[in-house]
Amino acid sequence: MKKDSKYAKKIKYGTMAAIITAFVVAIVVIVNIIMGILTERYPMKLDLTKDKRYELCDESINVLKNLEKDVEIAVMYPESTLLQYEYYNMIPKILEKYEVYSKQAKGNVEVKYYDIQKNPDAVAKYKKYFSGDITQGSVVVYCDEKVKVSNVTSFYTTDQSTYYYDYTAPVNYIFIGESTLTSAIMSVADANPKKAAFLDRMGEGTIFGTNSFYSISQLFSLMSSNGYECTEIDISDDFISDDYDVIVIPAPEVDLTSDVIERLDDYLYNDGKYMKNVIYISSPAATELPNIEAFLDKWSIEIGDALVSDDESCVAATLTASGAAVMSPKGVIADTENFGELPNASLPIAVPYSRPVNIITRNNDVLTSYVLQSGKDAYQIPLSNLSEPSDEKAVTGFVTLSQRQQAEQFDVYSSNLLVIGSVFMLDPSVMGNTNAYNNANFVLNALNYVTGKDKSAVIPQKNLEQQVITIDQKQADTVRNIVVYVIPAIIVICGIVVFVRRKNK
């Protein structure tokens, strides 16, 4: 009886130990499976880096959560290769977040990696929709036979501004890959893209000056990245203006011919249907443009022959062409209802070298209003004598909107003329610096409002801390093996040891 009792006791403890061990192992396996599923659908990984380099900004997350179409991102580089290099190892981890957040939307983002040296045919699917080159390092964003192509090397830029003062200062790296990727996704997934024509060429030359080149290029890039199909037009040719939702006249320093002005009038009238738009950007270097002045006059707008300055409400802005910092007036949004929803309202809108955009009071069918104005301490400096600024201080217009409308029952149709007094508020060092200025968000809001386009987002840049602790692919594999295999194995071994010891008691 004692022997039977001892044997029953061993069986009891042994069975309990086996059950507990199996239960613990099952919990570990189930937790790993659940975490794997959740990680695929929700952002479960924590980004503990100081600069949050592996996390997406709110603007990108909102775009992904509202995605209505499936988007492919094809990286023409092996994932393992990218993970081996500092900074470039960010890219796969950022792309993983694109996949995760998009699973909460109707659409989906799928990321693929190709080694095109071993698989050159991988580009064939995308090449037929893209006229440029797709090479090693290219990042292709594809949706509905529309393609945007960038390169991993273009995902980073540097800020060497401190170098001018201290040549020993380290180079600051800036990650613009998120902006590039999110903008490309918005562009290819846009079901209703707007067509824009830049009337910037006249024969072999441009209508704008050399100093305006960078600003015009930046505006072209901003619009192209946010659902506008932009085309450059030679105004010496016949342009079919009815095909475009908006025509941009970028900082002309030569006057438009009366024939071009007449075609602009016809374009805006649109056979009485309206629904067309013109963006006119002023240059401080052009004052003798009688045909353009007459065109603006018909829309109750006048551009003054002066520059606006403000010693009280101003901000330093470095221009790309000169590399010099200028104290620029801060813009104040006058129409906050339609143009005031900016992601970070604390950032200033810098308006360097702006001419005043004045409203002419007339009894006509034009509705004109200020969109962006100066502060109350602004004053004007005549272009004819820059050494003698005016003593008069007053609020001055920087951006003005003029509209002609037609009502049909409960619907109102309008053609719009948006006049921007400063071409340099579009400068890459200003509008392109989304961490310091709100220019890009303001300009994009204005464009979207005028054209009736759905809201889009300007993705801020990400300044990267230089001193970081990185982990290569081998180390990552080691950590994963420890968590997935070693720890569960240790638990199983401990359970077996406990089971054997209790069995032999």
Side-chain angles (χ1 to χ4, degrees):
M1 291 181 64
K2 288 183 178 179
K3 186 177 181 180
D4 290 342
S5 175
K6 184 177 181 181
Y7 181 71
K9 192 174 183 180
K10 285 184 178 182
I11 293 177
K12 177 181 177 182
Y13 286 118
T15 303
M16 289 181 62
I19 292 173
I20 292 172
T21 301
F23 182 70
V24 171
V25 171
I27 289 177
V28 171
V29 172
I30 291 172
V31 167
N32 272 281
I33 293 173
I34 292 174
M35 290 303 295
I37 295 173
L38 290 176
T39 301
E40 290 180 357
R41 295 192 59 86
Y42 301 97
M44 304 295 292
K45 297 179 180 179
L46 296 178
D47 185 354
L48 300 179
T49 58
K50 185 178 179 180
D51 47 38
K52 298 298 179 184
R53 64 181 54 196
Y54 303 120
E55 187 53 85
L56 301 182
C57 68
D58 292 339
E59 291 84 356
S60 290
I61 293 172
N62 289 334
V63 168
L64 295 170
K65 287 184 176 180
N66 291 287
L67 195 63
E68 296 187 354
K69 295 183 178 181
D70 291 340
V71 175
E72 290 182 20
I73 301 179
V75 183
M76 303 305 169
Y77 234 137
E79 181 180 7
S80 57
T81 302
L82 293 173
L83 290 170
Q84 291 176 3
Y85 298 98
E86 185 177 359
Y87 294 124
Y88 284 118
N89 63 14
M90 288 178 56
I91 296 174
K93 297 168 186 177
I94 286 286
L95 290 173
E96 182 182 332
K97 290 294 179 71
Y98 277 88
E99 290 183 302
V100 170
Y101 283 111
S102 69
K103 293 185 185 300
Q104 303 176 43
K106 294 180 182 178
N108 186 49
V109 173
E110 181 181 8
V111 179
K112 301 177 181 179
Y113 295 89
Y114 297 100
D115 185 346
I116 61 174
Q117 291 184 339
K118 297 180 180 178
N119 182 18
D121 295 333
V123 303
K125 174 181 178 180
Y126 313 104
K127 188 67 177 69
K128 57 184 177 181
Y129 305 116
F130 183 66
S131 58
D133 294 327
I134 299 177
T135 59
Q136 182 171 282
S138 293
V139 180
V140 182
V141 180
Y142 168 83
C143 177
D144 286 351
E145 301 183 355
K146 291 190 288 185
V147 164
K148 288 286 186 180
V149 178
S150 55
N151 195 287
V152 293
T153 57
S154 68
F155 283 9
Y156 298 86
T157 185
T158 57
D159 176 15
Q160 295 180 302
S161 57
T162 56
Y163 183 81
Y164 295 107
Y165 308 101
D166 180 7
Y167 65 89
T168 63
V171 176
N172 296 321
Y173 287 90
I174 300 173
F175 182 67
I176 58 175
E178 183 182 345
S179 173
T180 303
L181 289 167
T182 304
S183 296
I185 290 171
M186 288 190 294
S187 181
V188 299
D190 194 335
N192 184 30
K194 299 293 183 179
K195 293 185 177 181
F198 276 65
L199 302 188
D200 58 0
R201 308 202 66 80
M202 181 180 290
E204 296 297 323
T206 60
I207 67 171
F208 54 82
T210 305
N211 289 336
S212 300
F213 169 78
Y214 299 103
S215 298
I216 304 307
S217 299
Q218 185 69 20
L219 178 62
F220 193 97
S221 175
L222 177 72
M223 295 176 66
S224 298
S225 300
N226 286 276
Y228 290 87
E229 296 178 357
C230 298
T231 305
E232 291 184 290
I233 299 295
D234 189 333
I235 62 174
S236 60
D237 298 331
D238 290 332
F239 57 90
I240 306 174
S241 56
D242 290 345
D243 290 343
Y244 302 103
D245 299 288
V246 57
I247 290 178
V248 181
I249 307 174
E253 295 186 10
V254 294
D255 203 9
L256 301 181
T257 65
S258 56
D259 179 59
V260 173
I261 295 295
E262 184 177 347
R263 279 183 281 168
L264 286 173
D265 287 332
D266 293 340
Y267 164 79
L268 286 166
Y269 183 65
N270 194 23
D271 294 327
K273 295 178 290 188
Y274 294 103
M275 301 294 290
K276 296 296 181 181
N277 310 283
V278 169
I279 311 295
Y280 180 81
I281 305 167
S282 175
S283 167
T287 55
E288 298 296 329
L289 307 173
N291 289 337
I292 292 176
E293 291 171 3
F295 170 72
L296 297 177
D297 184 81
K298 287 183 288 187
W299 289 79
S300 299
I301 292 178
E302 174 191 58
I303 297 179
D305 291 334
L307 296 178
V308 181
S309 188
D310 191 331
D311 298 332
E312 301 298 327
S313 179
C314 57
V315 61
T318 302
L319 302 182
T320 303
S322 64
V326 295
M327 297 308 297
S328 307
K330 292 181 183 179
V332 179
I333 298 176
D335 185 354
T336 55
E337 181 178 352
N338 296 310
F339 300 93
E341 295 182 8
L342 304 179
N344 186 353
S346 63
L347 294 180
I349 301 172
V351 193
Y353 297 125
S354 179
R355 294 173 65 177
V357 184
N358 304 317
I359 294 175
I360 304 172
T361 303
R362 287 204 178 99
N363 292 324
N364 54 20
D365 60 342
V366 176
L367 301 175
T368 312
S369 60
Y370 290 114
V371 176
L372 189 71
Q373 295 176 300
S374 71
K376 60 182 178 60
D377 294 312
Y379 58 92
Q380 298 185 21
I381 306 174
L383 290 173
S384 58
N385 191 351
L386 296 177
S387 62
E388 293 189 9
S390 171
D391 293 330
E392 184 179 350
K393 295 183 178 181
V395 174
T396 306
F398 289 137
V399 180
T400 300
L401 176 65
S402 188
Q403 299 176 301
R404 279 193 168 96
Q405 297 181 337
Q406 173 183 296
E408 290 185 6
Q409 295 182 348
F410 299 104
D411 296 321
V412 177
Y413 304 97
S414 66
S415 281
N416 304 294
L417 172 63
L418 186 73
V419 179
I420 299 174
S422 169
V423 64
F424 295 111
M425 71 179 293
L426 313 174
D427 187 274
S429 297
V430 181
M431 192 165 75
N433 190 348
T434 55
N435 289 325
Y437 308 101
N438 242 332
N439 290 44
N441 284 298
F442 167 75
V443 171
L444 189 60
N445 276 8
L447 289 168
N448 291 344
Y449 174 77
V450 167
T451 61
K453 189 181 182 304
D454 293 337
K455 292 182 179 179
S456 46
V458 175
I459 310 304
Q461 302 165 342
K462 188 175 293 183
N463 293 321
L464 303 180
E465 295 286 339
Q466 201 156 29
Q467 299 297 327
V468 296
I469 298 175
T470 60
I471 181 171
D472 58 29
Q473 186 60 39
K474 184 177 180 180
Q475 292 169 327
D477 291 340
T478 301
V479 172
R480 184 189 64 222
N481 291 336
I482 290 173
V483 173
V484 176
Y485 302 111
V486 176
I487 293 177
I490 292 173
I491 294 174
V492 171
I493 292 171
C494 290
I496 293 173
V497 170
V498 171
F499 172 76
V500 172
R501 289 189 63 185
R502 290 188 174 182
K503 182 179 180 181
N504 295 328
K505 283 184 178 180

